[in-house]
Amino acid sequence: MRALRAQLFAELLLASRRGESVLVTLVIPAALLLFFSAVPLVPVAGEVPVAFLLPGTIGLAVIATAFVSLGIATAYERHYGVLKRLGGSPLPRPTFIAAKALAVLVIELVQLAVLVAAALALGWRPGGDPLVVAAALLLGTGAFAGLGLLLAGTLRAELTLAVTNGLFLGFLLLGDIVVPLSRLPEPLATVSRWLPATTLADALREGLTPGAPLPWADLAPLAAWAVVALGAAAFTFRVEE
Amino acid sequence: MDPVPAVVVDRLVKRYGERTAVDELSFTVAPGELLALLGPNGAGKTTTVETLEGYRTPDGGRVRVLGLDPRRDGAALRRRIGLMLQRGGLYPLLRPLELLRLYATYYPDPERPEALLERVGLDDPVVRRTAYRRLSGGEQQRLSLAVALVGRPELVFLDEPTAGLDPAARLRTGALIRELRSAGVTVLLTTHDLAEAERVADRVAIIDGGRLVALGTPAELLRGGDRLRFRAAPGLPVEALAAELRRAVGTGAGEPAELAVSEPAPGEYTVAARVTAELIAALAAVLRDRDVLLAELSTGQGSLEALFLRLTGERSAAEPPAERPAAEG
């Protein structure tokens, strides 16, 4: 318990000291929410922009934390032998993994608070089913953490850095986050529909819409992404680069 | 030697693909002993230590650490050992005390991080505010050493603890390691520095090409052996030669009586005696007096000598070695 608390504290301290991590997790999603609300470059039929943008940027925040930040940090911990050194200490592996998972969830709660506060200021009216939102957040976190760790545990650190950043941009543009799926040309839209980013953003959007039915069509593929990505990461992860 | 060694390496074999990194290596470390694994780069030192730490599975043979199997009983073992990897391994963005406090939470009865920081000489206001990645090489090594000690280990593995340090930092770290030994901690360290092994270790195991070349106290290893071989005309009177050599080097106490000369093959002679410069000079003089030409003088442990030359040669890193050490053995 003492080790878990100390490890969680260290993870959060490290995240706060990585400037690029603060930028991608806290600044970019909030900045995009404010920017696209103020400048409606992509008109959204029949709703205030913030109602479309808030679920998308919450999804993007999850991607930034669980995929980009976790993936890059873990890749460099592997590169610098930090994981190997911890493996020679009595810290149990499950405790180490639990601390990382809890750190991701704590950061996501901070992101959620920032984005919801910004959305309220932009005139967003709360509504929907908090349980659906929580389920989407957990499954999305699992899916993206799995993908981030899959890269971090198999590629060189520099490559993980490049690939996660590239995919982050792809998810931002194609994941129904700031650009509605209906605006994408057809072959692209079909592919995008199955991206974990899209299913996460859409599940969150349904969850934040009052009276919407349970979004099984989004939650089920998201759950599949989570199981497959986490399984693949666990199976292929190599501690030494 | 103690009946239960702290470390047992018994005909250890470790291969990486085609290459055999460790080849039937055997040695033990007694409790409280400081053993240095000495060898050139690529000799198999790190592979051996990492097998003992539980990072590698042996391809052959057996290792025991504090009586435990590092792979099977890893969890129990990791509470009782400390280790220092060859490079890095600590969170680059954490400061010295943050790292020590973090590692302290992993162990049941840790040292006080503050006291430990003082002990390794990092109790400096500027160092305390500096993240690991911004510390100098020597400071990083000392912090790694402190982290290795925070759990009050019975046994520590130090892989090249002084590599890349300037001479002053090297001496300082060497003194810290001696202190550990005085406190009863068993130490297994690796080094490719002959002088360092000689300075800090109780015993030195010299390995090359994954094999044990020599094992003994620094004094035993540096004494230069107990055999002198030479070639000369066949059929020399060996008893008379021995008597003359005894007289020539006979000023010392007791030793000359053990001196013997034999001719195992025609024209090839062996002088069984402690090899000293004086003995070599005496042999040259005795043969000259008999008008016998001395050819191919060599001092016993040829492989060890060649290795010593390479080891000491490596320290003056200006010229590249004539051969790749790893390719031998």
Side-chain angles (χ1 to χ4, degrees), chain B residues 93-133:
Chain B
L93 293 177
L94 291 188
R95 295 165 192 163
L97 209 52
E98 290 167 348
L99 279 164
L100 280 174
R101 283 184 178 145
L102 179 63
Y103 267 82
T105 64
Y106 305 158
Y107 295 89
D109 177 30
E111 295 262 8
R112 274 199 326 112
E114 292 272 358
L116 200 50
L117 204 61
E118 206 176 295
R119 199 164 127 208
V120 299
L122 292 177
D123 189 29
D124 171 275
V126 176
V127 170
R128 278 163 164 269
R129 284 195 303 273
T130 307
Y132 174 78
R133 66 168 171 184

Side-chain angles (χ1 to χ4, degrees), chain A residues 169-239:
Chain A
L169 188 62
F171 289 139
L172 169 63
L173 296 176
L174 303 178
D176 207 11
I177 285 169
V178 291
V179 182
L181 215 55
S182 57
R183 294 270 153 175
L184 296 178
E186 192 30 59
L188 212 51
T190 304
V191 176
S192 294
R193 195 157 293 129
W194 298 101
L195 290 179
T198 311
T199 56
L200 172 60
D202 291 354
L204 287 168
R205 208 161 276 133
E206 296 297 311
L208 289 170
T209 305
L214 211 57
W216 286 116
D218 297 309
L219 289 176
L222 192 56
W225 273 106
V227 169
V228 171
L230 286 171
F235 194 69
T236 59
F237 200 98
R238 293 287 168 266
V239 167

Side-chain angles (χ1 to χ4, degrees), chain A residues 2-4 6-7 10-11 13-14 17-18 76-77 79-91 96 100 240, chain B residues 50 55-56 78-79 81 83-85 87-95 98 102-108 110 147-148:
Chain A
R2 195 168 52 115
L4 177 64
Q7 195 64 31
E11 289 283 354
L13 186 64
L14 287 165
R17 283 187 189 162
R18 286 190 288 262
Y76 277 95
E77 284 168 6
H79 176 75
Y80 287 120
V82 171
L83 300 182
K84 181 178 177 182
R85 178 65 187 83
L86 287 173
S89 84
L91 178 68
F96 174 73
K100 272 204 179 304
E240 291 180 53
Chain B
E50 291 194 345
Y55 289 118
R56 316 254 169 265
R78 285 192 288 269
R79 278 190 281 273
I81 64 169
L83 60 96
M84 207 173 143
L85 295 180
R87 85 189 164 85
L90 298 177
Y91 287 107
L93 293 177
L94 291 188
R95 295 165 192 163
E98 290 167 348
L102 179 63
Y103 267 82
T105 64
Y106 305 158
Y107 295 89
V147 169

Side-chain angles (χ1 to χ4, degrees), chain B residues 192-195 305-317:
Chain B
H192 56 262
D193 182 345
L194 175 63
E305 274 186 346
L307 185 65
F308 272 151
L309 283 178
R310 250 192 7 248
L311 287 169
T312 45
E314 264 184 25
R315 275 190 300 158
S316 57

